[in-house]
Amino acid sequence: MSETLKTAEPCIMVIFGATGDLTKRKLFPALFNLAKDGHLSENFAIVGVGRQEMLSEDFRDQMVEDLKKFAGENGDEEKAKWFCSRTYYTGGDFDDDKKLFSDIKDMLRDVCTKHKIPENFFFYMAIPPDLFANVAQKVVKNGLGNEENGNWRRFIFEKPFGHDLDSAKKLNAHLLRILKERQIYRIDHYLGKETVQNLLVFRFGNSIWEPIWNRNYVDHIQITVAEKLGVEGRGGYYDTAGALRDMVPNHIFQLVTLTAMEPPVSFEADAVRDEQVKVLQAIKPFSPEVALRDAIRGQYDQGEIGGERVPGYRGEESVDPNSQTETFAALKLSIDNWRWADVPFYIRTGKRMPTRHSSIIIQFKKAPFVLFRETPIERLTTNRIEIHIQPDEGITLHFGAKIPGPLVRMGAVDMDFNYVDHFGEQLSTGYERLLFDCMIGDATLFQRADMVETSWSIVSPVLDIWSAVPPRDFPNYPAGTWGPAISDELLSRDGRAWKNAPE
Ligand code: BG6
C-alpha cells in the first residue's frame, strides 16, 4: 500500500456495463474525484462498453448529467470537459465473439494514439456475475489480455464473486487458465472505506493496542453492518442471494480479518493478504448442529422506520411472496488460534434495521476485582473500543471515571475521535483508492483467490443447512427493529448483549 497518492500510470479504463448504475453512481464520480485531485495521468482515457448502441457524444452528454447528480459538489466544469475529451463509447452484443470485441480493439488503438497512451488497459466488469468468465475470455481471445512490451492488462471483478464455494472455485479456475493471479482484482468496496483501511493503521501504527488485542484482555468482538434500506429494486438478485451471501463472505469477513489478523511483515499486497487468509483458515468450521445453533437468520415483516410505514420483504418488487430468503443473518464465529481462542466474534447484518450503522466493537474483560461495591451494576463499566465505520466515521474508547463529588462513584464515559472533526469532510465514493490502486498495480485491498474460496468454505455449511431446513417462522422481525429475538439470544445465552446504535 502506498503512503502517498501519486499520479496513476497512463492507461485506459475499459468499463463493461458502462450504462449501468454502478458506473454512474460510483465509478464516474470516483474517477472524477481522482482527476480533480490530480491523481489521474494526463494520458488517461475511458472506453465505455454497453449493450446499447450509442455514439460517444451521447454517452458523454449522459455522463455530464450523471456527474452533476452523483459527484455532488465536485461538479467542476473544467474537469468535466477534460473528462469528456477522453471518454469514448462502443456498444454491442457481449455474446458476439467478433464484432463488439474487434470494435473495442480498434477503439483502443485509436484512443492510445490520440492521447499518447501506452497500451496499459484495465477492464472493469460492472456486469452481472454470470457474464464475468465469458467477457474476460473474449477480451483475452481477442488478444487484449496479453501483457507485451512492458504494458500491463488488469481485470477488476465486482462482487458477488461466485454464488457458493463451487461456483467461486470454477470462476477462479476459469480466470486463472486465461490470466495470471496478479492481473485479477476482485473488488470488495468495503476495503475502499477510510475507516476500514484505518483498521490497519490503528492496530499497527500504534504501540498501545497490540499488548491488549488478544484473548488475555478481550472478552468478545461484535461486528454489526446494519442497513436501514430494504432491497431497493434489487429484489430479483437479492431473493436468490440473501443476507448471508450478500454481505458475510465478503464485506464482513474483511472486517473480521483486519480486526483479527497478525501484524503483516510489510504492507505489500501478499504480506497483508497472507495474514488475512490465515484468520479465515482459523475460523472453526460449522458442523450442522453448530450451524443450527450459532447461525441465526431472519426476514423482515412490514413495520415502521423513522415514523414511516414500510412493506415487508415479501411485498417488495420482484420478491417471491412466499420467499424464504433471509434479510438478516447473525453468526457466532470461533477463531481457533493463539490470539483468539475462546473469544467469540459475533457478527450480524440486516436490512430494514432501525438505523444505518456499521461498527466493530472490541469488548474488553471486566476489571479483575470490583473495588466499587456501592456502584449499581449498570454503572460498573467495562472497557470497549468502538470503531464506527459508517455513517459517522470514528473511534470511541469507553471507560469508567469518577463522578465528581464527595463520594467515590463511578460513571461510564466516552472518549471520541471523529474523522470529520479532525480531517474535515472528504467527498469520496469509496472507489477512488481502489481504482487508483489498480492503476498502480497494488492489489493489497483486493481479494485473492484463496481468500474468496476460504470465505465461501466457511459459510457453505450454513447455507447448506439453511436450505435443507427451511425457516418456519419467516417473517420474524418487523422492519425498524434489530432483527429477530433469537439474534439476541445468541448473545444472551453467553451472558452478553448486542450493543445497538442509538436510533
Ligand atoms: C453491497 C450489497 O455489496 O453492499 C448490498 O450487495 C448492500 O445489498 C451494500 O446494501 C452495502 O454497502 P454500503 O457501502 O452501503 O455499506
Side-chain angles (χ1 to χ4, degrees), residues 26 158-160 188-190 193 225-227 229-232 234 237-238 246-247 250-251 351 356 358 389-390 429 431:
K26 302 285 183 191
E158 262 298 327
K159 80 168 260 279
D188 184 315
H189 80 275
Y190 265 55
K193 294 184 192 283
V225 177
E227 295 186 88
L229 296 176
V231 285
E232 306 304 297
R234 291 164 72 229
Y237 149 74
Y238 197 85
D246 188 44
M247 298 296 288
N250 32 66
H251 307 327
K351 299 227 181 255
R356 177 171 187 244
S358 303
I389 292 162
Q390 58 192 20
T429 63
Y431 277 76

mmCIF file of all heavy atoms in Angstrom, residues 26 158-160 188-190 193 225-227 229-232 234 237-238 246-247 250-251 351 356 358 389-390 429 431, ligand 1:
data_model
loop_
_atom_site.group_PDB
_atom_site.id
_atom_site.type_symbol
_atom_site.label_atom_id
_atom_site.label_comp_id
_atom_site.label_asym_id
_atom_site.label_seq_id
_atom_site.Cartn_x
_atom_site.Cartn_y
_atom_site.Cartn_z
ATOM 1 N N LYS A 26 -20.962 5.329 -8.921
ATOM 2 C CA LYS A 26 -19.694 5.170 -8.195
ATOM 3 C C LYS A 26 -18.462 5.400 -9.056
ATOM 4 O O LYS A 26 -17.558 6.131 -8.671
ATOM 5 C CB LYS A 26 -19.602 3.752 -7.589
ATOM 6 C CG LYS A 26 -20.708 3.394 -6.649
ATOM 7 C CD LYS A 26 -20.554 4.073 -5.300
ATOM 8 C CE LYS A 26 -21.639 3.630 -4.345
ATOM 9 N NZ LYS A 26 -21.702 4.413 -3.141
ATOM 10 N N GLU A 158 -16.381 -7.208 -10.023
ATOM 11 C CA GLU A 158 -17.249 -6.778 -8.928
ATOM 12 C C GLU A 158 -17.717 -8.005 -8.160
ATOM 13 O O GLU A 158 -17.621 -9.132 -8.629
ATOM 14 C CB GLU A 158 -18.470 -6.055 -9.517
ATOM 15 C CG GLU A 158 -18.363 -4.543 -9.513
ATOM 16 C CD GLU A 158 -18.259 -3.953 -8.098
ATOM 17 O OE1 GLU A 158 -18.838 -4.518 -7.168
ATOM 18 O OE2 GLU A 158 -17.589 -2.921 -7.944
ATOM 19 N N LYS A 159 -18.279 -7.788 -6.987
ATOM 20 C CA LYS A 159 -18.917 -8.886 -6.288
ATOM 21 C C LYS A 159 -20.348 -9.071 -6.820
ATOM 22 O O LYS A 159 -20.861 -8.119 -7.384
ATOM 23 C CB LYS A 159 -18.891 -8.659 -4.782
ATOM 24 C CG LYS A 159 -19.984 -7.690 -4.265
ATOM 25 C CD LYS A 159 -20.100 -7.738 -2.786
ATOM 26 C CE LYS A 159 -21.246 -8.575 -2.318
ATOM 27 N NZ LYS A 159 -22.560 -7.913 -2.343
ATOM 28 N N PRO A 160 -21.027 -10.168 -6.667
ATOM 29 C CA PRO A 160 -20.553 -11.351 -5.977
ATOM 30 C C PRO A 160 -19.615 -12.180 -6.851
ATOM 31 O O PRO A 160 -19.862 -12.348 -8.039
ATOM 32 C CB PRO A 160 -21.844 -12.126 -5.694
ATOM 33 C CG PRO A 160 -22.789 -11.714 -6.767
ATOM 34 C CD PRO A 160 -22.428 -10.293 -7.104
ATOM 35 N N ASP A 188 -13.791 -5.512 -3.352
ATOM 36 C CA ASP A 188 -14.747 -5.510 -2.252
ATOM 37 C C ASP A 188 -14.786 -4.078 -1.781
ATOM 38 O O ASP A 188 -13.817 -3.584 -1.199
ATOM 39 C CB ASP A 188 -14.268 -6.421 -1.117
ATOM 40 C CG ASP A 188 -15.308 -6.504 -0.017
ATOM 41 O OD1 ASP A 188 -15.847 -5.459 0.366
ATOM 42 O OD2 ASP A 188 -15.591 -7.619 0.451
ATOM 43 N N HIS A 189 -15.900 -3.390 -2.049
ATOM 44 C CA HIS A 189 -15.867 -1.938 -1.844
ATOM 45 C C HIS A 189 -15.697 -1.547 -0.377
ATOM 46 O O HIS A 189 -15.384 -0.415 -0.074
ATOM 47 C CB HIS A 189 -17.075 -1.255 -2.504
ATOM 48 C CG HIS A 189 -18.348 -1.342 -1.715
ATOM 49 N ND1 HIS A 189 -19.193 -2.412 -1.773
ATOM 50 C CD2 HIS A 189 -18.911 -0.479 -0.850
ATOM 51 C CE1 HIS A 189 -20.222 -2.200 -0.979
ATOM 52 N NE2 HIS A 189 -20.079 -1.033 -0.399
ATOM 53 N N TYR A 190 -15.855 -2.515 0.551
ATOM 54 C CA TYR A 190 -15.613 -2.188 1.963
ATOM 55 C C TYR A 190 -14.160 -1.806 2.202
ATOM 56 O O TYR A 190 -13.842 -1.034 3.094
ATOM 57 C CB TYR A 190 -16.056 -3.333 2.882
ATOM 58 C CG TYR A 190 -17.451 -3.061 3.367
ATOM 59 C CD1 TYR A 190 -18.466 -2.830 2.439
ATOM 60 C CD2 TYR A 190 -17.758 -2.954 4.716
ATOM 61 C CE1 TYR A 190 -19.740 -2.512 2.844
ATOM 62 C CE2 TYR A 190 -19.033 -2.630 5.131
ATOM 63 C CZ TYR A 190 -20.017 -2.407 4.192
ATOM 64 O OH TYR A 190 -21.280 -2.068 4.596
ATOM 65 N N LYS A 193 -13.301 1.867 2.027
ATOM 66 C CA LYS A 193 -13.774 2.796 3.055
ATOM 67 C C LYS A 193 -12.607 3.216 3.944
ATOM 68 O O LYS A 193 -11.819 2.367 4.375
ATOM 69 C CB LYS A 193 -14.874 2.132 3.905
ATOM 70 C CG LYS A 193 -16.152 1.850 3.115
ATOM 71 C CD LYS A 193 -17.233 1.282 4.007
ATOM 72 C CE LYS A 193 -18.405 0.719 3.226
ATOM 73 N NZ LYS A 193 -19.318 1.707 2.687
ATOM 74 N N VAL A 225 -23.241 -4.740 10.705
ATOM 75 C CA VAL A 225 -23.439 -3.929 9.496
ATOM 76 C C VAL A 225 -24.949 -3.859 9.301
ATOM 77 O O VAL A 225 -25.569 -4.790 8.783
ATOM 78 C CB VAL A 225 -22.739 -4.543 8.266
ATOM 79 C CG1 VAL A 225 -23.036 -3.697 7.019
ATOM 80 C CG2 VAL A 225 -21.233 -4.632 8.485
ATOM 81 N N ALA A 226 -25.522 -2.787 9.799
ATOM 82 C CA ALA A 226 -26.985 -2.640 9.767
ATOM 83 C C ALA A 226 -27.372 -1.640 8.696
ATOM 84 O O ALA A 226 -26.748 -0.588 8.578
ATOM 85 C CB ALA A 226 -27.482 -2.155 11.126
ATOM 86 N N GLU A 227 -28.364 -1.992 7.928
ATOM 87 C CA GLU A 227 -28.854 -1.074 6.893
ATOM 88 C C GLU A 227 -30.301 -0.710 7.178
ATOM 89 O O GLU A 227 -31.073 -1.558 7.625
ATOM 90 C CB GLU A 227 -28.783 -1.745 5.523
ATOM 91 C CG GLU A 227 -27.364 -2.050 5.087
ATOM 92 C CD GLU A 227 -27.357 -2.587 3.671
ATOM 93 O OE1 GLU A 227 -27.290 -1.766 2.756
ATOM 94 O OE2 GLU A 227 -27.440 -3.814 3.501
ATOM 95 N N LEU A 229 -32.150 0.647 4.728
ATOM 96 C CA LEU A 229 -32.845 0.409 3.461
ATOM 97 C C LEU A 229 -33.306 -1.035 3.341
ATOM 98 O O LEU A 229 -32.775 -1.925 4.009
ATOM 99 C CB LEU A 229 -31.905 0.719 2.296
ATOM 100 C CG LEU A 229 -31.448 2.175 2.152
ATOM 101 C CD1 LEU A 229 -30.441 2.292 1.019
ATOM 102 C CD2 LEU A 229 -32.647 3.087 1.904
ATOM 103 N N GLY A 230 -34.259 -1.239 2.449
ATOM 104 C CA GLY A 230 -34.672 -2.603 2.114
ATOM 105 C C GLY A 230 -33.884 -3.063 0.906
ATOM 106 O O GLY A 230 -32.695 -2.775 0.801
ATOM 107 N N VAL A 231 -34.549 -3.716 -0.056
ATOM 108 C CA VAL A 231 -33.784 -4.234 -1.189
ATOM 109 C C VAL A 231 -33.751 -3.280 -2.392
ATOM 110 O O VAL A 231 -33.061 -3.545 -3.371
ATOM 111 C CB VAL A 231 -34.229 -5.656 -1.608
ATOM 112 C CG1 VAL A 231 -33.719 -6.663 -0.617
ATOM 113 C CG2 VAL A 231 -35.723 -5.757 -1.766
ATOM 114 N N GLU A 232 -34.456 -2.166 -2.287
ATOM 115 C CA GLU A 232 -34.317 -1.065 -3.243
ATOM 116 C C GLU A 232 -34.302 -1.473 -4.712
ATOM 117 O O GLU A 232 -33.344 -1.189 -5.437
ATOM 118 C CB GLU A 232 -33.015 -0.296 -2.958
ATOM 119 C CG GLU A 232 -32.853 0.192 -1.547
ATOM 120 C CD GLU A 232 -34.005 1.073 -1.093
ATOM 121 O OE1 GLU A 232 -34.185 2.128 -1.693
ATOM 122 O OE2 GLU A 232 -34.728 0.686 -0.157
ATOM 123 N N ARG A 234 -33.692 -4.221 -6.026
ATOM 124 C CA ARG A 234 -32.771 -5.312 -6.390
ATOM 125 C C ARG A 234 -33.334 -6.660 -5.939
ATOM 126 O O ARG A 234 -32.587 -7.624 -5.749
ATOM 127 C CB ARG A 234 -31.414 -5.092 -5.731
ATOM 128 C CG ARG A 234 -30.652 -3.903 -6.286
ATOM 129 C CD ARG A 234 -29.534 -3.524 -5.338
ATOM 130 N NE ARG A 234 -28.439 -4.481 -5.359
ATOM 131 C CZ ARG A 234 -27.899 -5.013 -4.260
ATOM 132 N NH1 ARG A 234 -28.361 -4.751 -3.075
ATOM 133 N NH2 ARG A 234 -26.887 -5.844 -4.364
ATOM 134 N N TYR A 237 -32.213 -10.001 -7.731
ATOM 135 C CA TYR A 237 -30.907 -10.558 -7.318
ATOM 136 C C TYR A 237 -30.961 -11.035 -5.867
ATOM 137 O O TYR A 237 -30.568 -12.152 -5.536
ATOM 138 C CB TYR A 237 -29.804 -9.500 -7.482
ATOM 139 C CG TYR A 237 -28.676 -9.636 -6.481
ATOM 140 C CD1 TYR A 237 -27.735 -10.673 -6.614
ATOM 141 C CD2 TYR A 237 -28.571 -8.793 -5.378
ATOM 142 C CE1 TYR A 237 -26.725 -10.831 -5.676
ATOM 143 C CE2 TYR A 237 -27.567 -8.947 -4.439
ATOM 144 C CZ TYR A 237 -26.644 -9.968 -4.582
ATOM 145 O OH TYR A 237 -25.656 -10.134 -3.647
ATOM 146 N N TYR A 238 -31.492 -10.144 -4.994
ATOM 147 C CA TYR A 238 -31.388 -10.405 -3.559
ATOM 148 C C TYR A 238 -32.121 -11.682 -3.160
ATOM 149 O O TYR A 238 -31.672 -12.430 -2.306
ATOM 150 C CB TYR A 238 -31.940 -9.208 -2.779
ATOM 151 C CG TYR A 238 -31.516 -9.215 -1.341
ATOM 152 C CD1 TYR A 238 -30.296 -8.670 -0.958
ATOM 153 C CD2 TYR A 238 -32.310 -9.805 -0.348
ATOM 154 C CE1 TYR A 238 -29.883 -8.698 0.359
ATOM 155 C CE2 TYR A 238 -31.906 -9.836 0.964
ATOM 156 C CZ TYR A 238 -30.693 -9.277 1.315
ATOM 157 O OH TYR A 238 -30.276 -9.319 2.630
ATOM 158 N N ASP A 246 -24.818 -12.160 0.550
ATOM 159 C CA ASP A 246 -24.637 -10.796 0.059
ATOM 160 C C ASP A 246 -23.585 -10.031 0.866
ATOM 161 O O ASP A 246 -22.873 -9.198 0.312
ATOM 162 C CB ASP A 246 -26.000 -10.074 0.151
ATOM 163 C CG ASP A 246 -25.992 -8.709 -0.511
ATOM 164 O OD1 ASP A 246 -25.444 -8.600 -1.618
ATOM 165 O OD2 ASP A 246 -26.545 -7.753 0.072
ATOM 166 N N MET A 247 -23.491 -10.302 2.150
ATOM 167 C CA MET A 247 -22.657 -9.438 2.997
ATOM 168 C C MET A 247 -21.537 -10.152 3.758
ATOM 169 O O MET A 247 -20.536 -9.527 4.094
ATOM 170 C CB MET A 247 -23.545 -8.750 4.054
ATOM 171 C CG MET A 247 -24.609 -7.844 3.506
ATOM 172 S SD MET A 247 -23.977 -6.397 2.627
ATOM 173 C CE MET A 247 -23.350 -5.414 3.966
ATOM 174 N N ASN A 250 -17.857 -11.647 2.133
ATOM 175 C CA ASN A 250 -17.095 -10.562 1.508
ATOM 176 C C ASN A 250 -16.870 -9.443 2.525
ATOM 177 O O ASN A 250 -15.869 -9.429 3.230
ATOM 178 C CB ASN A 250 -17.842 -10.082 0.264
ATOM 179 C CG ASN A 250 -19.362 -10.231 0.465
ATOM 180 O OD1 ASN A 250 -19.946 -9.570 1.294
ATOM 181 N ND2 ASN A 250 -19.974 -11.144 -0.278
ATOM 182 N N HIS A 251 -17.848 -8.506 2.615
ATOM 183 C CA HIS A 251 -17.637 -7.304 3.428
ATOM 184 C C HIS A 251 -17.334 -7.631 4.898
ATOM 185 O O HIS A 251 -16.386 -7.117 5.479
ATOM 186 C CB HIS A 251 -18.873 -6.407 3.382
ATOM 187 C CG HIS A 251 -19.329 -6.076 1.989
ATOM 188 N ND1 HIS A 251 -18.452 -5.927 0.942
ATOM 189 C CD2 HIS A 251 -20.570 -5.864 1.467
ATOM 190 C CE1 HIS A 251 -19.140 -5.623 -0.157
ATOM 191 N NE2 HIS A 251 -20.415 -5.599 0.135
ATOM 192 N N LYS A 351 -31.136 -5.959 6.717
ATOM 193 C CA LYS A 351 -31.802 -4.841 6.046
ATOM 194 C C LYS A 351 -32.993 -4.427 6.899
ATOM 195 O O LYS A 351 -33.517 -5.215 7.678
ATOM 196 C CB LYS A 351 -32.285 -5.285 4.666
ATOM 197 C CG LYS A 351 -31.106 -5.729 3.780
ATOM 198 C CD LYS A 351 -31.190 -5.137 2.412
ATOM 199 C CE LYS A 351 -30.054 -5.569 1.517
ATOM 200 N NZ LYS A 351 -29.045 -4.537 1.304
ATOM 201 N N ARG A 356 -28.976 3.163 9.899
ATOM 202 C CA ARG A 356 -27.797 2.675 9.168
ATOM 203 C C ARG A 356 -26.599 2.809 10.094
ATOM 204 O O ARG A 356 -26.269 3.907 10.552
ATOM 205 C CB ARG A 356 -27.597 3.524 7.918
ATOM 206 C CG ARG A 356 -26.353 3.150 7.135
ATOM 207 C CD ARG A 356 -26.318 3.860 5.798
ATOM 208 N NE ARG A 356 -25.231 3.381 4.980
ATOM 209 C CZ ARG A 356 -24.212 4.140 4.590
ATOM 210 N NH1 ARG A 356 -24.147 5.400 4.946
ATOM 211 N NH2 ARG A 356 -23.251 3.626 3.849
ATOM 212 N N SER A 358 -22.692 0.811 10.952
ATOM 213 C CA SER A 358 -21.741 -0.307 10.921
ATOM 214 C C SER A 358 -20.621 -0.021 11.892
ATOM 215 O O SER A 358 -20.077 1.084 11.904
ATOM 216 C CB SER A 358 -21.129 -0.469 9.532
ATOM 217 O OG SER A 358 -22.149 -0.650 8.610
ATOM 218 N N ILE A 389 -17.767 2.567 11.476
ATOM 219 C CA ILE A 389 -17.408 2.529 10.056
ATOM 220 C C ILE A 389 -18.286 3.453 9.240
ATOM 221 O O ILE A 389 -17.815 4.169 8.367
ATOM 222 C CB ILE A 389 -17.464 1.086 9.558
ATOM 223 C CG1 ILE A 389 -16.330 0.334 10.243
ATOM 224 C CG2 ILE A 389 -17.314 0.987 8.046
ATOM 225 C CD1 ILE A 389 -16.451 -1.118 10.216
ATOM 226 N N GLN A 390 -19.570 3.443 9.525
ATOM 227 C CA GLN A 390 -20.474 4.365 8.846
ATOM 228 C C GLN A 390 -21.786 4.446 9.609
ATOM 229 O O GLN A 390 -22.104 3.506 10.350
ATOM 230 C CB GLN A 390 -20.724 3.931 7.397
ATOM 231 C CG GLN A 390 -21.295 2.540 7.271
ATOM 232 C CD GLN A 390 -21.264 2.025 5.841
ATOM 233 O OE1 GLN A 390 -20.529 2.495 5.005
ATOM 234 N NE2 GLN A 390 -22.102 1.057 5.562
ATOM 235 N N THR A 429 -16.404 8.229 -2.785
ATOM 236 C CA THR A 429 -17.371 7.165 -3.037
ATOM 237 C C THR A 429 -16.870 5.850 -2.452
ATOM 238 O O THR A 429 -17.588 4.877 -2.415
ATOM 239 C CB THR A 429 -17.510 6.923 -4.555
ATOM 240 O OG1 THR A 429 -16.231 6.491 -5.019
ATOM 241 C CG2 THR A 429 -17.940 8.163 -5.286
ATOM 242 N N TYR A 431 -14.556 4.264 -3.952
ATOM 243 C CA TYR A 431 -13.928 3.561 -5.079
ATOM 244 C C TYR A 431 -12.630 4.246 -5.519
ATOM 245 O O TYR A 431 -11.867 3.671 -6.295
ATOM 246 C CB TYR A 431 -14.889 3.477 -6.268
ATOM 247 C CG TYR A 431 -15.856 2.314 -6.158
ATOM 248 C CD1 TYR A 431 -16.939 2.373 -5.290
ATOM 249 C CD2 TYR A 431 -15.686 1.160 -6.923
ATOM 250 C CE1 TYR A 431 -17.818 1.312 -5.183
ATOM 251 C CE2 TYR A 431 -16.576 0.093 -6.814
ATOM 252 C CZ TYR A 431 -17.630 0.182 -5.942
ATOM 253 O OH TYR A 431 -18.495 -0.868 -5.833
HETATM 254 C C1 BG6 B 1 -23.463 -4.463 -1.385
HETATM 255 C C2 BG6 B 1 -24.667 -5.341 -1.147
HETATM 256 O O1 BG6 B 1 -22.340 -5.230 -1.672
HETATM 257 O O2 BG6 B 1 -23.216 -3.691 -0.213
HETATM 258 C C3 BG6 B 1 -25.876 -4.502 -0.800
HETATM 259 O O3 BG6 B 1 -24.932 -6.117 -2.304
HETATM 260 C C4 BG6 B 1 -25.571 -3.599 0.368
HETATM 261 O O4 BG6 B 1 -27.005 -5.324 -0.517
HETATM 262 C C5 BG6 B 1 -24.279 -2.825 0.136
HETATM 263 O O5 BG6 B 1 -26.643 -2.712 0.522
HETATM 264 C C6 BG6 B 1 -23.875 -2.080 1.392
HETATM 265 O O6 BG6 B 1 -22.825 -1.217 1.091
HETATM 266 P P1 BG6 B 1 -22.592 0.084 1.956
HETATM 267 O O7 BG6 B 1 -21.322 0.642 1.424
HETATM 268 O O8 BG6 B 1 -23.774 0.968 1.744
HETATM 269 O O9 BG6 B 1 -22.487 -0.381 3.375
#
